[in-house]
Amino acid sequence: MPGQTPEPSAGPQPLSSSEPLSEPSPEPSPSAIRGGVLLRLVSAGLFVVMSLFVRLATVEAPIGQIVFYRSAFALPPIIAYLMWRRQFPSALKTRQPVGHLKRNLYGGAAMVLSFISLAYLPLALATALGFLAPLFAVPAAMLFLRERPGPVAIGAALTGFAGVVLMLAPAFEGPALDHNTIIGVTAGLAMAVATAAGRVEIKTLTATEAPGTIAFYFALLCALGGLASLPFGWSTPTAHSLAYLVGAGITGGLAHITMTEAMARAPVSTQAPFDYTAMLWALILDAAIFGLLPSPASLAGAFVIAASALVIPLAGRFTTRSAALRPAR
């Protein structure tokens, strides 16, 4: 059964007393990186579907209620995942309770801010703002995780950011900004910062914690936080709204499982550009469900984003082939 715990090559590992603290973490194997990238692509798609459910739910439900449903209904797939790996209930024992609290502080703030952004902006625009997080994650991984991303990873992240700027440009056209746009964009920018901080904390947790453990405690603590908003007024959901709330929880739980597994296998800076592929799904869903057609600038930005996500695997394949053709010395 694959990966009951993070692979030894995946992410930072505890250092023994004989190892100097200045040494970087071991490099992950090529197979671990490929697995991490694939899981990241799946996670990106699931997060877009979750965002769609959240945006539909904001029509009737307040943010606190959405946080509760999003988190509480994420627990069943997470528990099923732990049982499949034969880690339940043993995986609930943690060696980093403070780390989980810090991860939930960042992640919970990012969740609330993202829901606010989704309530005021089109799905594609809110998703584009979330893609500022990978750009912030690359320098954060360098500073706090001692990762050493190469020029390809840094260039791909910057290229993807340029695509996000192209997509955002049409929202700022005109003599004055719409009030809803200001609220949504401000929440989206703050969400990107909190998301980047949360990703660094996740990568630190994977040194000792199983991916399912991280996802479980995130869903549990966020569900309790959402439940605390009950006295401030919850709506009685209709059948459609209830389906959106439950759907957000299930897809969110699956997204967090795949994201955390990806974090355990490949460096944060390597995975960063692959988040941009979710933009394509957001554009498609905006057009199909809400009838919102992207502008030419948005389409150009989406193309740049998709291209940046393909740079790293193509560069890695080219490097491998060049090494194989190089004559032996």
Side-chain angles (χ1 to χ4, degrees):
M1 193 171 292
Q4 292 191 4
T5 57
E7 297 179 17
S9 61
Q13 303 298 316
L15 297 174
S16 66
S17 57
S18 61
E19 292 177 313
L21 295 178
S22 59
E23 290 185 2
S25 302
E27 288 295 323
S29 66
S31 61
I33 293 178
R34 286 194 297 269
V37 167
L38 178 60
L39 287 167
R40 196 67 183 185
L41 290 171
V42 173
S43 173
L46 287 169
F47 273 122
V48 173
V49 176
M50 182 209 73
S51 297
L52 172 64
F53 284 135
V54 168
R55 189 172 191 274
L56 293 170
T58 56
V59 175
E60 296 183 11
I63 298 298
Q65 185 176 4
I66 297 174
V67 169
F68 171 76
Y69 276 89
R70 152 70 181 85
S71 303
F73 281 91
L75 285 171
I78 292 173
I79 293 174
Y81 166 77
L82 291 173
M83 293 177 67
W84 173 67
R85 290 195 157 186
R86 300 178 184 177
Q87 293 179 330
F88 187 84
S90 61
L92 303 188
K93 184 178 179 180
T94 175
R95 287 185 279 175
Q96 296 194 56
V98 176
H100 283 287
L101 289 175
K102 289 169 64 179
R103 183 269 185 273
N104 278 273
L105 177 63
Y106 298 137
M111 181 187 294
V112 171
L113 290 165
S114 69
F115 291 177
I116 295 173
S117 181
L118 286 165
Y120 287 95
L121 298 175
L123 180 62
L125 180 53
T127 303
L129 286 170
F131 289 143
L132 293 173
L135 181 66
F136 298 149
V138 171
M142 296 171 65
L143 290 173
F144 300 109
L145 300 179
R146 293 181 294 167
E147 291 183 2
R148 297 176 179 175
V152 173
I154 295 175
L158 292 174
T159 302
F161 175 67
V164 172
V165 172
L166 279 174
M167 296 201 66
L168 288 175
F172 292 90
E173 294 176 353
L177 282 174
D178 179 77
H179 179 70
N180 289 348
T181 301
I182 295 175
I183 296 175
V185 169
T186 302
L189 291 173
M191 177 266 294
V193 175
T195 299
R199 288 179 180 179
V200 172
E201 196 61 41
I202 289 173
K203 189 64 177 177
T204 303
L205 285 170
T206 57
T208 61
E209 307 290 284
T213 306
I214 301 171
F216 175 84
Y217 281 110
F218 178 76
L220 177 64
L221 294 177
C222 286
L224 294 175
L227 186 62
S229 70
L230 178 61
F232 298 97
W234 281 15
S235 66
T236 301
T238 61
H240 284 93
S241 182
L242 183 61
Y244 301 147
L245 290 168
V246 174
I250 293 174
T251 54
L254 294 174
H256 270 286
I257 288 170
T258 52
M259 180 192 72
T260 308
E261 281 282 353
M263 289 286 188
R265 285 167 167 74
V268 173
S269 50
T270 300
Q271 297 176 42
F274 292 92
D275 280 348
Y276 297 131
T277 57
M279 196 67 251
L280 301 176
W281 294 109
L283 285 168
I284 293 171
L285 291 175
D286 257 348
I289 297 177
F290 302 107
L292 299 175
L293 298 177
S295 66
S298 294
L299 286 176
F303 176 79
V304 172
I305 287 168
S308 71
L310 297 175
V311 167
I312 289 180
L314 292 177
R317 184 174 301 178
F318 176 79
T319 302
T320 302
R321 183 175 299 178
S322 297
L325 294 175
R326 191 177 299 126
R329 293 173 183 253

